[in-house]
Amino acid sequence: MNLVAGGAIGLYLSVITGLSAFLHYRVHGIVNGLQLTLAFFCSLNILICLWELALGYRIEVIQRDFAKLRERFEATPSGRLAAVVDFFLTPLSSRTLFSPAFWSRIWSTYALYDPSYIDKQSFGFWIDVGNGHSTILPSLLWLFGMTYDFLPPKLFAIIGILSFYQEFYGTVIYFSQFIFNKRYQGKNLIEVLLFVSLSNGIWIFIPLIGIWASLRILLDDTTHTDLFHHHSFS
């Protein structure tokens, strides 16, 4: 059976998060809930950053694909859902698995719910393109820095505060403009909650946890590996 897009995403998150947890257990002898939560988020954000780079550099491809989706699928809840299912069930070849052009389709599909993502002048477009460029390296540093001491603790914490706050603030502003511009009109409540609120809400709540962890490192004057060795959320 061919690997489909949704399966590839799930496999990536499982492997990278699981590997991070395994390495943490091997070094510190503990499965830490805080480390596991932030490892999942950092793994996810790294993937999203790669998609966001595709958004910035493949916007013309995304615009053309969006026009095709509008022709194929009705502008109704069932039509938009069919487009989402179609994307996640698309079989992948070894070529498309690593193709920015293919994964840029995530944006043309999401644009069925928020057309600002095909508009190069919109906030949604630029906040995500900016996030892709500025948070991929901090996410990599945090993914492995929670286990290995390769950065001074205070520097590690400052990087965390800056990165997690950017993700939190950008998402709050995105939600605000989505509501202010009434982009929810024409969509039902389930669509807005599932495809807009839930998918983006991760970038509000988990970055707050990351900010809290960063502040613990700074204010408690402890090492970052000590925090993820002895504590979860206590």
Side-chain angles (χ1 to χ4, degrees):
M1 181 180 295
N2 289 332
L3 183 66
V4 298
I9 295 169
L11 181 62
Y12 161 82
L13 291 173
S14 299
V15 169
I16 301 301
T17 306
L19 176 62
S20 176
F22 169 76
L23 293 174
H24 196 79
Y25 180 81
R26 187 171 184 180
V27 172
H28 299 288
I30 188 173
V31 176
N32 180 276
L34 178 59
Q35 185 272 336
L36 192 61
T37 299
L38 292 177
F40 167 78
F41 177 76
C42 290
S43 300
L44 177 59
N45 193 64
I46 290 166
L47 178 62
I48 300 299
C49 283
L50 295 174
W51 292 350
E52 289 166 335
L53 293 176
L55 173 65
Y57 296 109
R58 302 273 181 164
I59 184 59
E60 290 80 12
V61 174
I62 294 167
Q63 291 170 334
R64 290 195 296 268
D65 190 57
F66 175 75
K68 293 177 183 177
L69 289 177
R70 290 293 296 270
E71 293 177 358
R72 286 182 58 196
F73 300 99
E74 296 180 359
T76 62
S78 60
R80 288 186 288 268
L81 178 61
V84 172
V85 172
D86 180 73
F87 172 77
F88 283 108
L89 293 184
T90 300
L92 299 178
S93 65
S94 57
R95 180 180 177 183
T96 55
L97 179 61
F98 300 102
S99 168
F102 170 78
W103 290 108
S104 70
R105 286 181 52 194
I106 193 79
W107 300 112
S108 53
T109 305
Y110 185 74
L112 295 172
Y113 296 94
D114 184 357
S116 69
Y117 278 86
I118 58 167
D119 180 2
K120 290 187 287 186
Q121 296 182 342
S122 72
F123 176 83
F125 174 86
W126 280 108
I127 190 62
D128 274 36
V129 172
N131 182 76
H133 285 82
S134 64
T135 69
I136 187 168
L137 182 56
S139 292
L140 280 166
L141 291 175
W142 263 72
L143 182 62
F144 295 103
M146 290 183 289
T147 299
Y148 300 102
D149 278 319
F150 54 79
L151 283 177
K154 293 188 184 302
L155 176 59
F156 182 79
I158 291 171
I159 291 172
I161 291 172
L162 293 173
S163 178
F164 289 125
Y165 180 77
Q166 175 189 319
E167 292 156 353
F168 164 78
Y169 179 76
T171 308
V172 169
I173 298 300
Y174 170 73
F175 271 134
S176 300
Q177 63 86 35
F178 183 88
I179 295 170
F180 182 81
N181 292 313
K182 299 182 179 179
R183 292 202 172 100
Y184 54 81
Q185 290 184 340
K187 287 90 176 174
N188 63 38
L189 181 61
I190 294 177
E191 285 185 290
V192 174
L193 290 177
L194 182 61
F195 296 113
V196 179
S197 298
L198 180 61
S199 60
N200 287 281
I202 294 172
W203 273 262
I204 290 179
F205 296 108
I206 300 186
L208 287 175
I209 296 173
I211 293 171
W212 172 85
S214 301
L215 290 172
R216 284 288 300 269
I217 296 170
L218 280 177
L219 299 178
D220 293 355
D221 197 25
T222 184
T223 66
H224 36 304
T225 53
D226 280 345
L227 175 66
F228 299 109
H229 183 188
H230 297 295
H231 303 282
S232 288
F233 296 97
S234 59

